[in-house]
Amino acid sequence: MRCGGIFSVYRTDHQQHKLNTLINQHLERQSLLRHLAQKSLTAAAHALDDSDLSDDASVLAGFNTQQRATFRLGVRAAPLLFGFCLFIAEQSLADRVSRLLFFTREGEFFYQVFKRVFPNGRITQDALPPATILEVSRLATFSGSLKSLSIEEMMRLWRLYSSQSIFALGKSLGIDPGLLAGACGRCAIALEEIIIRPWQDERVHRLFSDPEFKELLTHKIHTDRSAALAYFEQQGIGDAGASLGVVDIGWRGTIQDNLALMMPGNRFCGYYLGLQRFLNAQPSNCLKRAYGPNANHDLLFSHLLDAVSPLEMLCNSPHGSVMGYDRQSDGKVQAIRLSESSERAIHADTIRHFQDGVLFGCGFWADQANDHEMRSTDLRETACTIWSDLITKPERQISEAYTALNHNDVFGVGRFVDKKVVPSPAKLLYGLISPADRREVILYIKQTQWMPGLWHRSDLTVAHKAILAVALATGRAYKHARMWIHHHLLDKRNNR
């Protein structure tokens, strides 16, 4: 017994020693990261002051005070994108993918960062898969991914948008909604009527049996699939059993699903900043990983998914959204892109300076990576803290840029959404008793969810902002409750 007691004490001391070692290593790593972050800001300050001597002289020359502040914000945010690129590189090697496809629009910026972090296409001694930008969008790939025109297939869209008009449905399928007016009239559906749970509406079932409606949309599905597959083939992506890595910002990997359904012979490994809980069944040839929060696995850092559109704006491209694919007279297929003027102006005035700061910072961090043997996991906590700061403590110039945004929500909603427009106090109150007003308020909450940015607005009264904040907080609480139920109650039920 004495020997057993001595052995027990030894084990306890040994475990405590291991724990202390891990804690000390973590603290040392965090201290190093803080030191490097400060060095990157110092380097940025020197570059801004001596832009004529900098490699980035053409970018930094002539910055005004606000542009300098936005550039420095990008430098501070660099570890988030640097860690993400390390994560992409590590996972692409682990998953043995043959190519990396960076999805438009945010992927265009991620591609620039990736090339800045890995200019020689290598991580340590390992060659990385070749990387390229792929022009895609949910709108451009959804119609072509449908197996047929049916209520069951359309559930992939309606699980994401449970209230939708036939006008928005037509826009989401890339077809002129006016062409559907005749069929809608025969089924007693107003083209712009918001239908709650369309799959349960008898009129919608009649519409999907209407010969003219079926012919129009079936032709559209086949045409879109043919054009999309021709474009992918042109980019060297055939359905030939390849293992492909895809990179996007998030949030459910719908574009990856669409490609996987169109090319079932390939395996698609998705690398995302964050992932919301999946609402649709996942294709068997899909694998999805997140560097930040993944609500499909746990609730760690899940608050970062409350307001994702500000981060989308910061990572956006000025080149517009892909609306579809067009066959040229020479047989080549070209992506059709729609660029909105206010988006281009916001990018030129604000976002590009943030992105230039990120690129500058990532160049600094890349120089330090080998010396300090950094891995993406070392930076994950810091990266998520930076992400949190960007959305919970936004700089005024970022909030103002977001408010001026005219956001492309054609897929699902059927239109661009002007972020300046908010429900009036009267509509917010009428929403308590009026179903139509309530739907409009709920749509605003779903499309915004960014309370911190609201308080920087000078065009709204304090009372109006307070009422909007209550509405947003209520929506967030409802969302968090559903996530908690999903992760805890359903898990318990499954483990019985």
Side-chain angles (χ1 to χ4, degrees):
M1 291 180 64
R2 186 186 305 170
C3 292
I6 293 172
F7 180 70
S8 176
V9 171
Y10 171 77
R11 280 191 52 145
T12 301
D13 289 345
H14 180 64
Q15 290 171 345
Q16 186 62 48
H17 176 71
K18 286 180 64 177
L19 178 61
N20 290 340
T21 300
L22 290 173
I23 291 173
N24 289 333
Q25 288 174 346
H26 175 76
L27 292 174
E28 288 174 3
R29 177 63 66 172
Q30 293 305 306
S31 177
L32 171 65
L33 294 178
R34 287 193 296 272
H35 172 68
L36 293 177
Q38 187 56 52
K39 282 185 67 176
S40 71
L41 288 170
T42 302
H46 289 316
L48 286 167
D49 292 338
D50 302 311
S51 58
D52 289 340
L53 303 177
S54 168
D55 291 338
D56 298 272
S58 61
V59 173
L60 304 179
F63 273 17
N64 61 35
T65 301
Q66 180 166 306
Q67 291 166 345
R68 286 169 174 261
T70 306
F71 180 86
R72 285 192 293 269
L73 179 63
V75 175
R76 291 201 300 271
L80 167 61
L81 280 304
F82 174 70
F84 181 41
C85 284
L86 280 180
F87 171 78
I88 295 166
E90 293 163 0
Q91 294 301 325
S92 68
L93 293 175
D95 294 330
R96 299 180 181 275
V97 302
S98 59
R99 289 182 66 184
L100 279 172
L101 308 172
F102 287 74
F103 287 173
T104 55
R105 300 178 64 179
E106 293 83 6
E108 295 173 75
F109 174 53
F110 297 154
Y111 176 81
Q112 292 182 60
V113 177
F114 192 79
K115 288 298 184 180
R116 181 65 63 98
V117 174
F118 305 109
N120 300 319
R122 307 185 73 86
I123 179 171
T124 59
Q125 302 303 314
D126 296 314
L128 294 170
T132 188
I133 294 171
L134 191 68
E135 293 178 284
V136 288
S137 69
R138 294 187 300 172
L139 179 64
T141 58
F142 178 72
S143 174
S145 73
L146 296 172
K147 298 175 184 176
S148 62
L149 178 67
S150 66
I151 298 291
E152 181 182 0
E153 277 291 282
M154 214 55 65
M155 287 304 298
R156 289 174 45 215
L157 173 63
W158 288 335
R159 288 190 189 96
L160 303 176
Y161 300 91
S162 59
S163 297
Q164 191 179 58
S165 66
I166 301 303
F167 179 93
L169 174 64
K171 286 287 190 178
S172 300
L173 296 173
I175 193 168
D176 180 0
L179 298 175
L180 309 177
C184 286
R186 288 189 293 273
C187 298
I189 302 175
L191 199 57
E192 300 205 32
E193 175 191 349
I194 303 296
I195 303 172
I196 302 172
R197 292 184 288 277
W199 61 94
Q200 295 179 356
D201 194 301
E202 184 58 35
R203 297 172 302 163
V204 175
H205 281 263
R206 292 203 306 271
L207 180 65
F208 273 69
S209 298
D210 184 273
E212 180 185 335
F213 182 85
K214 289 175 63 176
E215 182 180 357
L216 277 170
L217 267 66
T218 299
H219 176 72
K220 177 65 173 171
I221 289 169
H222 290 160
T223 302
D224 285 357
R225 182 184 300 125
S226 175
L229 289 175
Y231 169 76
F232 298 143
E233 187 74 36
Q234 190 174 286
Q235 303 304 311
I237 308 165
D239 190 15
S243 185
L244 303 168
V246 302
V247 180
D248 203 353
I249 193 167
W251 305 101
R252 290 190 169 94
T254 307
I255 302 173
Q256 181 183 346
D257 294 346
N258 296 343
L259 267 61
L261 291 169
M262 280 192 277
M263 295 178 279
N266 292 336
R267 173 175 174 257
F268 292 88
C269 302
Y271 310 124
Y272 300 92
L273 266 180
L275 286 170
Q276 299 269 22
R277 183 170 64 89
F278 302 139
L279 299 180
N280 288 314
Q282 297 296 284
S284 59
N285 56 333
C286 271
L287 173 68
K288 296 176 183 176
R289 306 183 190 277
Y291 181 52
N294 187 342
N296 300 283
H297 294 164
D298 54 53
L299 298 181
L300 187 63
F301 299 118
S302 61
H303 71 283
L304 300 177
L305 302 172
D306 287 340
V308 296
S309 53
L311 193 64
E312 289 175 347
M313 179 189 72
L314 290 172
C315 299
N316 206 356
S317 153
H319 303 131
S321 300
V322 179
M323 308 301 287
Y325 304 100
D326 181 47
R327 291 183 185 272
Q328 305 292 298
S329 58
D330 59 2
K332 291 185 178 180
V333 180
Q334 183 176 348
I336 306 167
R337 299 185 73 153
L338 176 63
S339 179
E340 208 278 327
S341 58
S342 69
E343 277 192 325
R344 292 197 305 272
I346 291 167
H347 192 278
D349 291 343
T350 303
I351 304 307
R352 76 178 181 94
H353 302 301
F354 171 83
Q355 293 182 355
D356 287 341
V358 170
L359 290 169
F360 179 94
C362 283
F364 172 87
W365 284 89
D367 291 339
Q368 308 296 319
N370 288 334
D371 292 342
H372 300 286
E373 298 182 344
M374 287 186 198
R375 296 182 58 83
S376 64
T377 50
D378 297 327
L379 285 150
R380 185 170 184 260
E381 183 179 339
T382 297
C384 288
T385 300
I386 290 169
W387 183 348
S388 180
D389 288 344
L390 286 171
I391 62 174
T392 60
K393 297 180 286 187
E395 299 290 338
R396 178 172 292 277
Q397 67 268 31
I398 302 303
S399 297
E400 290 175 349
Y402 182 80
T403 300
L405 193 63
N406 198 19
H407 186 66
N408 187 339
D409 260 346
V410 172
F411 183 83
V413 179
R415 57 185 173 85
F416 278 74
V417 175
D418 188 345
K419 294 297 185 181
K420 291 192 296 293
V421 177
V422 299
S424 66
K427 191 174 289 291
L428 288 163
L429 294 175
Y430 284 139
L432 298 174
I433 56 175
S434 167
D437 289 333
R438 184 159 55 250
R439 284 196 298 271
E440 191 171 329
V441 171
I442 290 172
L443 182 59
Y444 165 74
I445 293 171
K446 287 182 176 180
Q447 291 173 337
T448 305
Q449 299 186 37
W450 195 33
M451 197 185 308
L454 179 67
W455 294 109
H456 280 158
R457 293 193 55 168
S458 58
D459 58 328
L460 303 175
T461 66
V462 174
H464 193 179
K465 288 189 281 191
I467 298 173
L468 288 169
V470 170
L472 293 175
T474 302
R476 181 176 297 179
Y478 175 75
K479 177 182 176 180
H480 287 184
R482 290 193 60 172
M483 291 176 67
W484 189 91
I485 291 170
H486 174 77
H487 281 282
H488 296 283
L489 297 187
L490 292 184
D491 285 348
K492 287 181 180 179
R493 184 184 302 172
N494 293 334
N495 290 331
R496 285 176 183 172

